[in-house]
Amino acid sequence: MSKSSAKKRQQFIDAATAFLAQNHGASLSEIAEHIGVGRATLQRYFPKRQDLLREIALEGIRKMDEAFAPLEEIEQSAEESVHSFFEVVLPLGDVYHFLGTYPDLPTFPEVAQAYERQLDELRNYVRFLKQQGAIAPDVPDGWVVVMLDLLIWGTWSAIRDGAIARNDAAALAVRTLLNGLSRSEFVADTLRYYERIGRIPPITRSRSGNRDYTIDDINRIEFVKCLRAAGVPIEALLEFFRLNEHSVYTTKARKEILVEQRKQLVQKIAD
């Protein structure tokens, strides 16, 4: 297959995925009409509707595997791990929903086997979140998986419909999963992680052993939250706060870090 044919084939798969995620019963003719080509053109790539469904499913599983793979190699707090999870999966919301809800997929053995493997990996991830204290241990794993599915599809739909901004989506999904819709935004696990890697200084403890946050501690945490929300990477934050320990002599260096991060943020927005 030529590069142009492969590109067109991929475009058909992507467009059909988004359409079938909302129109499970669509015929091959309706899919072709939605894509904007004739049925005969679509059939040159996918002779039967089942051929198209199978390829959509296999492509979706491949994309999900590629998206999740880097998450296993990053050391993060539970909350940051969930944020990274939503960042990589939300752009694949239609694929994720298609794989989880399309009734014909179990008829393809390789698809059913790969999908069950991904579900097992998701269940293991839920157990990790429980071990880290991000999710209550008495909540059934299956219920958490269902909530993740609903959040992924709902958030993707909200982005598509313009109800929420793309840049806010992952943070809103994390907040809804871990904190509900209350005013609390941080979990204890994240604060402990920030303390451990040096984003915030060691917190003094009360006589009972609980962390006793001062106004300065809270201000620094809010500052970290703002920088993370702006996309500043961990390495830049650590360097900034290392320099901040010698604030009298490092004003210029700290400013350069912030200026550089601002340039990168502007570039991301432009892209």
Side-chain angles (χ1 to χ4, degrees), residues 2-20:
S2 66
K3 288 185 178 180
S4 61
S5 295
K7 182 179 180 180
K8 183 172 292 186
R9 181 179 184 276
Q10 187 61 52
Q11 290 173 343
F12 288 166
I13 289 176
D14 292 341
T17 301
F19 184 61
L20 286 169

Side-chain angles (χ1 to χ4, degrees), residues 219-265:
N219 287 339
R220 185 162 181 165
I221 290 168
E222 290 296 326
F223 183 58
V224 170
K225 287 169 59 181
C226 288
L227 292 179
R228 284 297 289 152
V232 177
I234 292 175
E235 294 78 9
L237 276 176
L238 291 176
E239 178 62 13
F240 181 89
F241 288 120
R242 185 188 68 79
L243 292 171
N244 196 53
E245 294 175 1
H246 309 284
S247 56
V248 177
Y249 309 103
T250 60
T251 301
K252 182 178 179 181
R254 285 181 288 133
K255 180 179 179 181
E256 289 174 352
I257 290 175
L258 295 179
V259 169
E260 176 60 27
Q261 292 305 314
R262 183 182 184 278
K263 288 180 180 178
Q264 293 183 22
L265 179 60

Side-chain angles (χ1 to χ4, degrees), residues 84-127:
S84 296
F85 169 84
F86 280 118
E87 283 285 2
V88 299
V89 79
L90 285 179
L92 304 174
D94 54 345
V95 173
Y96 189 91
H97 189 68
F98 177 86
L99 291 173
T101 62
Y102 210 87
D104 293 344
L105 296 188
T107 63
F108 306 118
E110 68 272 47
V111 173
Q113 183 178 5
Y115 180 66
E116 188 57 38
R117 170 183 57 78
Q118 287 189 338
L119 277 181
D120 284 340
E121 293 171 355
L122 189 58
R123 294 185 193 105
N124 288 335
Y125 181 61
V126 169
R127 296 185 189 107

Side-chain angles (χ1 to χ4, degrees), residues 175-193:
R175 178 177 178 178
T176 302
L177 179 67
L178 299 184
N179 303 99
L181 300 178
S182 66
R183 296 183 62 183
S184 175
E185 296 182 14
F186 260 30
V187 295
D189 178 70
T190 301
L191 294 175
R192 289 193 294 268
Y193 174 70

